[in-house]
Amino acid sequence: EDKVVQSPLSLVVHEGDTVTLNCSYEVTNFRSLLWYKQEKKAPTFLFMLTSSGIEKKSGRLSSILDKKELFSILNITATQTGDSAIYLCAVEAGQGAQKLVFGQGTRLTINP
Amino acid sequence: DARVTQTPRHKVTEMGQEVTMRCQPILGHNTVFWYRQTMMQGLELLAYFRNRAPLDDSGMPKDRFSAEMPDATLATLKIQPSEPRDSAVYFCASGLAIGQGPKMNTEAFFGQGTRLTVV
């Protein structure tokens, strides 16, 4: 069974801190790994990673994939209260036509 | 501004009633996912379609849930009869896979969700 595991499940830090969120996976026929941010409503897309070792960056957020060790990390530097959200990791995988399988998410709270 | 549209946004119903949730995927997208999100389970994949054909609905309780795509602009998720444990937010997402292989070429775009409460 395809599995995506995120850690930690919950994290509380102070504004300005740097955080690292983890996502590990065990799936058949891996295609890509995606990170989403969910605030009050629908998840919004952050990154799609398909190749190992290539960092994707967007402002204070960055992410990298390790296909050998089957994990990805999402880094947020100089955190702000607006970064508070649930961060979801999803893997596109499966036999035949691929599907998106999500992890449990990491609930990140940034305190002022 | 292309977006996935879900209706209704909120639904409160009594146990035993039929519930139908609708989703309009982004025009041109050929892959549609249905997810259920709860605090306990996170985002669970219920079913998904490629080019309107159901590919995997193993995440759905078959006795009460059904998912269909009557046409390329509409996906439906039906629960009959509904139970209190079905209370959750139901998300629809769409994406695009092109070419011979099944790989997605875009990320999945999510609708705003339907918050279902079964009392």
Side-chain angles (χ1 to χ4, degrees):
Chain A
E1 185 184 337
D2 297 326
K3 192 164 59 172
V4 179
V5 177
Q6 292 185 245
S7 64
L9 292 181
S10 180
L11 184 59
V12 181
V13 300
H14 290 292
E15 209 167 14
D17 288 350
T18 293
V19 297
T20 298
L21 310 182
N22 303 291
C23 174
S24 63
Y25 58 90
E26 287 180 41
V27 301
T28 53
N29 295 327
F30 173 90
R31 289 290 184 266
S32 63
L33 186 145
L34 299 91
W35 284 97
Y36 284 83
K37 177 182 181 183
Q38 186 177 25
E39 296 175 86
K40 291 187 179 163
K41 296 179 181 173
T44 54
F45 172 75
L46 295 175
F47 298 111
M48 177 187 273
L49 304 160
T50 54
S51 302
S52 257
I54 298 174
E55 185 183 55
K56 291 225 173 170
K57 203 168 167 61
S58 175
R60 297 176 293 102
L61 277 67
S62 64
S63 184
I64 198 160
L65 174 66
D66 185 330
K67 288 165 75 172
K68 185 179 174 189
E69 300 297 329
L70 308 183
F71 78 92
S72 173
I73 59 172
L74 175 69
N75 275 325
I76 309 175
T77 59
T79 52
Q80 302 170 358
T81 54
D83 296 327
S84 296
I86 296 173
Y87 289 83
L88 296 162
C89 172
V91 173
E92 187 191 353
Q95 202 68 34
Q98 274 68 34
K99 58 188 176 185
L100 271 182
V101 179
F102 279 83
Q104 284 277 72
T106 293
R107 182 179 292 275
L108 176 64
T109 303
I110 311 296
N111 288 327
Chain B
D1 185 26
R3 62 183 69 186
V4 176
T5 304
Q6 288 185 248
T7 57
R9 293 289 305 279
H10 302 271
K11 176 74 176 178
V12 180
T13 191
E14 289 185 347
M15 184 172 66
Q17 295 298 305
E18 178 180 298
V19 175
T20 299
M21 291 168 272
R22 293 177 173 80
C23 169
Q24 181 177 345
I26 291 174
L27 190 64
H29 281 186
N30 61 356
T31 305
V32 175
F33 303 89
W34 280 106
Y35 289 92
R36 174 171 63 185
Q37 188 174 41
T38 61
M39 288 290 291
M40 296 297 293
Q41 301 293 331
L43 266 170
E44 300 173 275
L45 179 64
L46 297 175
Y48 78 112
F49 296 79
R50 179 71 48 81
N51 297 319
R52 293 178 56 201
L55 292 184
D56 187 340
D57 61 1
S58 58
M60 288 199 315
K62 298 287 191 308
D63 57 337
R64 299 184 301 108
F65 283 61
S66 61
E68 294 180 349
M69 274 201 80
D71 63 60
T73 64
L74 177 64
T76 62
L77 180 67
K78 190 175 295 188
I79 309 174
Q80 167 63 21
S82 56
E83 297 180 2
R85 61 182 166 146
D86 300 330
S87 298
V89 180
Y90 290 80
F91 284 106
C92 171
S94 75
L96 178 64
I98 60 177
Q100 292 294 322
K103 183 184 179 310
M104 293 273 288
N105 293 83
T106 70
E107 67 274 22
F109 294 81
F110 279 78
Q112 293 295 295
T114 293
R115 182 175 293 278
L116 174 65
T117 304
V118 183
V119 297

